[in-house]
Amino acid sequence: MANRSKLFLPVRFNFFVFISIKDITYLFYVFYINFLGATVSWLKGYSPEFLNFLPPEVNHGNINATLSILFLILFTHFFLNIKTMAPQLKKIEIIFFGFNFIGLIINILGFYRIGFYFVMLWVVLFSLPYVLGLGIHAMKKGFRPAGFYIIGFSIFALGDFIFMLHENAILPQNFLTHYSLQMGSSFEAMILSFALANKLNSFKLEKEQT
C-alpha cells in the first residue's frame, strides 16, 4: 500500500501543475511519459511489483506502448502547434489515431503476438519518423522550442534502437545496451520538460510584449 501511495505522488503533482498552467500540451506530455514509463517497466519485469493493482490483461507492454504512441502524437501536434504551422497534416493525424486504435483493440482482445509486431512496425516505420519530421519542420519555420524537442526525441529513438538491437542479440550485453531504453526515455523526459518550459516562457513573453 505504501509503494502504491508513493507511485501516485507524481500523478498528483503533475495534476496540480496542469491546473496551475492550464495548458493541455502539458497534460499530453504527462500521459506520454507515464505510459512510456509503464512500457519500460513491463519490458524490464518491474510491472508485477509496482503495478500489481492493475489486471494482467490491462497491465501489458503492448497496450502501454500503443497508448504512449497515441499521446506522443497528441503532444507533438499541440506542442509544435501543427494546426497553424501545417494544417494540411490534420487528415494524417486522423490516420495515426485510427492505426493506434486498431493496435489497442488487437492487444485488448489478447492477440499479444500480433499486437507486438503491429506496434513495433508502426513505431519504427511510421510514428518515429513522423514526429521527428514534424519537429524538423517546426524548427525550419522558426519555432525555437522545436530544437529541444528534436534533441530529446532523437536521444530516445537512439536508446530504443540500441535496445531493439540488444534484444535481437545483434549487440552484446553490457551496461549501455542493458539500460539504453531507460536512459533514453529518462533523458527525453528531462529535455522535453525544458522544451515545455521554454515554450511557456516564450508565450508569456509574447503576451507581455503585446
Side-chain angles (χ1 to χ4, degrees):
M1 184 65 71
N3 287 337
R4 190 181 303 180
S5 178
K6 291 179 181 178
L7 185 66
F8 282 103
L9 282 175
V11 177
R12 297 169 189 164
F13 170 76
N14 284 309
F15 174 75
F16 285 115
V17 172
F18 169 67
I19 294 297
S20 174
I21 64 178
K22 297 180 177 65
D23 189 336
I24 197 170
T25 309
Y26 181 79
L27 189 63
F28 291 143
Y29 161 77
V30 170
F31 276 118
Y32 164 57
I33 292 300
N34 277 277
F35 280 116
L36 178 61
T39 304
V40 175
S41 176
W42 186 85
L43 288 171
K44 293 300 180 180
Y46 304 141
S47 293
E49 179 181 356
F50 296 103
L51 299 173
N52 56 7
F53 54 90
L54 295 173
E57 59 273 12
V58 175
N59 183 21
H60 195 280
N62 291 0
I63 294 175
N64 293 326
T66 305
L67 289 171
S68 68
I69 298 167
L70 173 64
F71 284 108
L72 170 62
I73 294 171
L74 283 169
F75 167 74
T76 300
H77 275 248
F78 276 82
F79 176 75
L80 299 176
N81 198 19
I82 296 301
K83 185 177 180 180
T84 302
M85 292 190 179
Q88 67 274 15
L89 294 177
K90 195 66 180 176
K91 293 181 180 179
I92 297 179
E93 182 184 38
I94 296 172
I95 294 173
F96 271 83
F97 288 157
F99 272 97
N100 274 277
F101 182 74
I102 292 171
L104 198 60
I105 294 299
I106 290 173
N107 287 292
I108 288 175
L109 292 176
F111 300 106
Y112 296 126
R113 187 175 182 82
I114 298 173
F116 173 78
Y117 287 112
F118 184 89
V119 172
M120 287 300 102
L121 289 173
W122 181 240
V123 170
V124 175
L125 296 181
F126 296 100
S127 297
L128 297 186
Y130 173 69
V131 296
L132 188 58
L134 290 179
I136 295 171
H137 175 75
M139 189 171 66
K140 287 181 177 179
K141 289 283 187 178
F143 185 60
R144 291 179 60 187
F148 289 104
Y149 177 89
I150 293 170
I151 294 171
F153 194 74
S154 297
I155 291 174
F156 167 72
L158 178 61
D160 187 36
F161 184 65
I162 293 173
F163 172 77
M164 287 191 292
L165 292 178
H166 167 253
E167 288 297 300
N168 288 280
I170 298 174
L171 289 178
Q173 168 81 9
N174 55 49
F175 180 84
L176 178 62
T177 57
H178 184 73
Y179 291 103
S180 61
L181 193 58
Q182 292 99 313
M183 290 190 292
S185 57
S186 298
F187 279 114
E188 182 199 28
M190 289 188 291
I191 294 173
L192 287 183
S193 66
F194 281 115
L196 273 170
N198 185 266
K199 178 184 177 181
L200 292 172
N201 287 332
S202 297
F203 284 169
K204 182 180 178 181
L205 183 61
E206 288 176 5
K207 287 182 180 179
E208 289 176 351
Q209 289 175 346
T210 302

